[in-house]
Amino acid sequence: MELGSRDAFSRMGTLGIEEEFYIVDADGYPTSGTDDLVYGRDPPAAVPEGFDHELFECTIEAQTETIEDPANAADALATVREALVDHAAADGYRIAAAGLHPAAKWRELDHVQKPRYQAQLDRIQYPQHRNTTAGLHVHVGVDDADKAVWVANRLRWHSPVLLALSANSPFWNGFDTGLASARAKVFENLPNTGIPSAFDDFDAFRRYERRMVETDSIADRGELWFDVRPHTGHGTVEVRAPDAQRDPEVTLALAEYVRALVVDYAERYADGESLPTLRRELLDENKWRAIRHGHDAAFIDRDGEGTTALGEVVDAECDRLGVDGIREVYEAESGAARQRRIRDEEGADALRSDLLVSP
C-alpha cells in the first residue's frame, strides 16, 4: 500500500507545474499518439524523465522539474513545452491546449491500455469513460505535514477563484455548453473530486487516505482527485482546480498566485492565526459560479455575509500578496470567451488552429 508520511514534507516554497495537453493531427483533431510519444522512442534530452500517459491516447502530461527559485519558473515551463512540441512533431503530431478540446468526442476516441487506467474504467464506468478533460496542477512544497493540511484547508476558498480565472472549456463534444469551464463539471462527475471537506490535521488526512485504500475505494493515493490536497508523496500542497492553458503566461500567472497563497498561509500558520471558513456547500456554490460564469463570477465572501466580484478579488489579492500576473489574466479576454469568439467569427477550423501550442 503506497501511502505518504510526514517525512515527505521537508521543503518550503518549491514549485512544480504539471500540464495536460491534447495530441492532435495536422488538422487539429485529437488523435491517438501516446504510444508513440511516451513509449515509441527515448524522451528528449531536455526532459529526461519523459512524458506520461493520461486516460485517453490523445492526452499527454508534461511536468517541470522541481523549481527551487520561482524566478526560474518561466524557463522551466518553456523547456518542457518546447521539448514536448518538438517531440510530437518528430512523429507528425501537434500539441493543443484547453480544458476540453472542442473536437474531442469521447465515444470516438481510444483509451490507453495502461492497467491503472483500465482498472479505473472498470470500476468507475461511464463518468471515467467520457473524461476527456485536461487540467493544470500546481505543487508548492511545504516543510511540515500539519501545516500543509492547514494551508490546503484555507486554499479551498481560492480554488473557485483560480478556476474562474482559468476558465477555458466552453465546448463539449462539439457543442457550446453555456459554461465557462465545462471541464470542471465533467471532471467532478468522478468520485473523490471537487472541493474537499476540511481536515483537522495530517493524522486525520492520513487516516482518510488509508481508509480509502483499505476499503478498495481507490487503488492508490493518486486517485484522490480533489481541487486542492496535501500530496503525501511529494510533500506539497497541490492545487488541481484550473483548466489547461494554451498561453504559458496564463499558466505562470496562476502558478505564481498559488505559490504566493501557500507561502502566505504558511506564515499565518506559524503565527497561530485563526481564519473564518465557509461551509462546504457554500464553497461548492462558489465553484458553480466559476464554472458557469468564469471571469464574470462573483463569490460568496469567506465570512458568508456578502459577495465580491472576481475583479475585486483579484485586485485585493494582487495588492495583498504582491503579485501581478492574475490581474493581467483577468483584464484579458478569458479562454472561454476567446474560444467562443473565434468559433463564431472564423469557424471551427480556426478554433482548432488557435488551440495549438507554439514551440
Side-chain angles (χ1 to χ4, degrees):
M1 182 190 306
E2 186 182 358
L3 294 172
S5 71
R6 289 181 175 274
D7 295 340
F9 296 88
S10 60
R11 293 184 294 173
M12 187 68 226
T14 59
L15 181 65
I17 303 171
E18 299 177 5
E19 296 185 289
E20 295 168 349
F21 296 103
Y22 295 94
I23 303 166
V24 298
D25 62 19
D27 295 317
Y29 287 99
T31 189
S32 296
T34 49
D35 281 349
D36 295 327
L37 302 187
V38 175
Y39 298 121
R41 53 193 169 84
D42 292 337
V47 186
E49 295 187 3
F51 308 105
D52 203 1
H53 264 307
E54 283 301 319
L55 175 65
F56 281 85
E57 290 186 356
C58 66
T59 51
I60 192 167
E61 180 182 277
Q63 51 191 297
T64 67
E65 62 186 1
T66 299
I67 303 165
E68 304 288 347
D69 182 349
N72 297 327
D75 287 343
L77 189 70
T79 295
V80 173
R81 280 181 165 229
E82 289 170 9
L84 175 60
V85 170
D86 291 343
H87 189 67
D91 276 324
Y93 300 111
R94 305 187 76 177
I95 299 298
L100 288 168
H101 196 287
K105 298 181 179 180
W106 65 270
R107 292 179 179 86
E108 302 172 3
L109 297 168
D110 294 326
H111 299 105
V112 299
Q113 295 303 307
K114 188 174 182 178
R116 168 185 172 85
Y117 289 113
Q118 287 295 311
Q120 290 175 6
L121 290 165
D122 183 62
R123 185 176 73 250
I124 299 171
Q125 291 293 315
Y126 173 71
Q128 186 70 326
H129 277 267
R130 66 180 194 145
N131 181 24
T132 58
T133 60
L136 164 65
H137 307 157
V138 180
H139 289 261
V140 181
V142 179
D143 57 3
D144 175 83
D146 289 319
K147 182 191 299 184
V149 172
W150 192 91
V151 170
N153 287 342
R154 271 67 196 174
L155 259 64
R156 296 180 308 148
W157 187 87
H158 299 271
S159 292
V161 174
L162 284 154
L163 175 58
L165 285 166
S166 73
N168 189 31
S169 51
F171 300 111
W172 167 239
N173 278 310
F175 296 96
D176 192 331
T177 63
L179 307 177
S181 175
R183 176 205 62 87
K185 181 53 67 175
V186 171
F187 190 75
E188 71 179 13
N189 279 277
L190 300 178
N192 315 307
T193 57
I195 300 176
S197 298
F199 291 89
D200 290 339
D201 52 27
F202 180 73
D203 286 340
F205 182 81
R206 185 165 54 179
R207 285 194 300 271
Y208 166 75
E209 187 179 70
R210 178 179 295 275
R211 184 171 296 117
M212 292 293 285
V213 173
E214 290 177 340
T215 58
D216 294 324
S217 300
I218 58 176
D220 56 62
R221 66 183 177 222
E223 293 182 358
L224 297 177
W225 296 308
F226 297 123
D227 290 352
V228 57
R229 64 181 182 181
H231 195 295
T232 62
H234 295 322
T236 62
V237 169
E238 180 186 12
V239 173
R240 303 168 50 86
D243 280 0
Q245 302 296 315
R246 182 208 60 171
D247 185 348
E249 294 303 320
V250 178
T251 294
L252 290 167
L254 297 172
E256 175 192 45
Y257 179 41
V258 171
R259 185 183 181 278
L261 284 170
V262 171
V263 171
D264 176 67
Y265 277 125
E267 293 172 354
R268 297 194 197 193
Y269 174 83
D271 293 338
E273 185 173 345
S274 178
L275 297 170
T277 58
L278 287 179
R279 290 179 59 94
R280 181 175 172 176
E281 293 86 349
L282 293 176
L283 294 172
D284 287 341
E285 168 61 19
N286 276 350
K287 182 176 180 180
W288 165 246
R289 290 167 176 236
I291 288 171
R292 174 65 181 88
H293 300 294
H295 281 198
D296 294 326
F299 300 107
I300 299 170
D301 297 329
R302 275 163 282 200
D303 61 8
E305 295 301 317
T307 62
T308 303
L310 177 62
E312 296 177 53
V313 173
V314 167
D315 284 341
E317 292 287 84
C318 287
D319 292 344
R320 182 175 70 86
L321 297 171
V323 298
D324 296 314
I326 58 169
R327 181 178 281 122
E328 295 178 10
V329 172
Y330 172 73
E331 291 175 350
E333 184 180 39
S334 73
R338 179 186 178 89
Q339 286 195 43
R340 286 192 172 106
R341 175 179 57 78
I342 290 174
R343 198 174 83 157
D344 288 347
E345 295 178 357
E346 303 176 50
D349 291 349
L351 175 56
R352 292 195 307 277
S353 178
D354 187 70
L355 297 179
L356 295 173
V357 176
S358 300

